[in-house]
Amino acid sequence: RPALTSLRSLVGHTAAAWGVAFSPDGKTLASGSSDGTVRLWSVADGSLVRSLSPTGRGITAVAFSPDGASLATTSWDRSPERGVFGVIRIWDPRDGRLVHSMEHGVKPIVTVAWSRDASLLAAGTWDDDTAVWNTSTWTLFKKLQPAEKEPYKAVQGVAFSPNGTKVAVTAKDGTIRIWDVARSQILKTLIGQGEGQTQWINDAVFLDDVRLASVSQDGTVRLWNTDTGQELAQRHGHASGVTSIAVGSDGLLLTGSLDGTIRSWDPAASPIVSTTENMYGLAFSPDGSRV
């Protein structure tokens, strides 16, 4: 495969950009930033289409619904009376209209994902739980929370299986918990990362209904069988923590790292490296031609 090349830079945020997402038609890119704004960009020419200014203390994640009609953003806020609380907002990206707003927990919400049929929206929090909403009514469907006796397990990433029956939750305690969403039951707990802060599991993506790829602060990329809990493969190459992972339509994995590189992974070959700066998020365009 050829090396990755930069097509353009999108400039406008005044603070770190923490999350990016392509619209399903590949025409728009959404980015969320610590400056408290969400920006919608034209993929064709890099121009700013629209800027959303949600209230809150910074945008931690963005995600388009599968039909492109909604955009979910996660954030947090603080008040003297309540302290810190998590915020999720649903927007119509076509006109910038706020459709719905939800609050959850007493810590920031840091990650968000739609099920493939858009019937569910999951958000992971530093309260150690993952909240799942029914998108037809925007009522809380399930709250996925491990036993309190376990160690610090702040959520770093969430991912639905393609069939929507399972959610993978990656956490700072070095585990990936595979949940049966309907039953709010842990099916498997995947363990295999480093110690201390390096054990953080930062992100994961389902390759199909069984196989899951994850990335960790210990610099590894790991492939799992979520039915058996078996670790199928372990890949090394990054010189620092790996913060994000995305999969293309051809099964190609891209990972972004604090070592300043994006790496392209093929199980049968060595990774391709593209040097940038510290990476916090990755997203494939729907046709797999851009990242």
Side-chain angles (χ1 to χ4, degrees):
R1 296 179 184 273
L4 303 173
T5 57
S6 175
L7 298 177
R8 63 180 54 87
S9 295
L10 308 179
V11 180
H13 286 298
T14 59
W18 291 101
V20 290
F22 278 99
S23 60
D25 62 8
K27 295 180 179 179
T28 305
L29 183 80
S31 60
S33 169
S34 292
D35 65 11
T37 68
V38 176
R39 292 176 181 257
L40 302 180
W41 310 85
S42 167
V43 173
D45 59 14
S47 62
L48 180 65
V49 176
R50 181 172 290 106
S51 181
L52 310 178
S53 298
T55 57
R57 305 301 179 99
I59 306 302
T60 54
V62 295
F64 279 97
S65 61
D67 63 1
S70 299
L71 178 72
T73 65
T74 63
S75 182
W76 61 280
D77 210 336
R78 177 191 291 127
S79 69
E81 299 78 19
R82 297 177 56 188
V84 175
F85 54 94
V87 178
I88 290 183
R89 288 190 166 88
I90 309 300
W91 307 83
D92 187 329
R94 297 164 293 189
D95 57 15
R97 178 172 53 92
L98 178 63
V99 176
H100 196 75
S101 182
M102 300 171 288
E103 297 175 359
H104 179 77
V106 294
K107 290 183 181 178
I109 298 174
V110 296
T111 181
V112 65
W114 299 81
S115 62
R116 182 168 288 186
D117 64 1
S119 65
L120 300 174
L121 182 77
T125 83
W126 283 354
D127 283 314
D128 304 346
D129 74 290
T130 298
V132 181
W133 282 273
N134 183 318
T135 61
S136 63
T137 59
W138 291 117
T139 54
L140 188 63
F141 176 61
K142 297 291 180 181
K143 182 178 179 180
L144 311 178
Q145 186 157 22
E148 294 183 3
K149 64 181 180 180
E150 297 179 9
Y152 182 54
K153 47 198 173 295
V155 175
Q156 292 286 84
V158 295
F160 277 97
S161 61
N163 62 15
T165 63
K166 295 186 287 190
V167 168
V169 178
T170 70
K172 289 186 176 181
D173 65 352
T175 65
I176 306 168
R177 294 174 178 87
I178 308 299
W179 292 84
D180 180 308
V181 181
R183 294 186 295 167
S184 301
Q185 185 177 88
I186 295 177
L187 300 174
K188 293 291 179 181
T189 299
L190 313 179
I191 304 173
Q193 280 65 28
E195 298 179 353
Q197 187 175 5
T198 63
Q199 72 181 344
W200 293 5
I201 316 299
N202 291 317
D203 201 5
V205 61
F206 274 95
L207 307 185
D208 49 45
D209 287 325
V210 175
R211 294 180 304 149
L212 181 84
S214 68
V215 292
S216 173
Q217 202 74 3
D218 68 1
T220 63
V221 182
R222 296 172 190 249
L223 183 64
W224 306 86
N225 182 312
T226 59
D227 284 348
T228 64
Q230 178 187 5
E231 183 179 302
L232 303 176
Q234 183 180 144
R235 296 288 183 264
H236 298 267
H238 283 294
S240 188
V242 192
T243 56
S244 52
I245 186 169
V247 61
S249 57
D250 61 354
L252 176 71
L253 290 171
L254 290 187
T255 55
S257 169
L258 297 176
D259 65 8
T261 66
I262 300 173
R263 292 179 181 252
S264 169
W265 300 88
D266 186 323
S270 300
I272 296 170
V273 182
S274 178
T275 301
T276 57
E277 297 182 3
N278 290 357
M279 301 303 301
Y280 294 103
L282 279 172
F284 270 100
S285 61
D287 64 3
S289 65
R290 294 177 177 137
V291 64

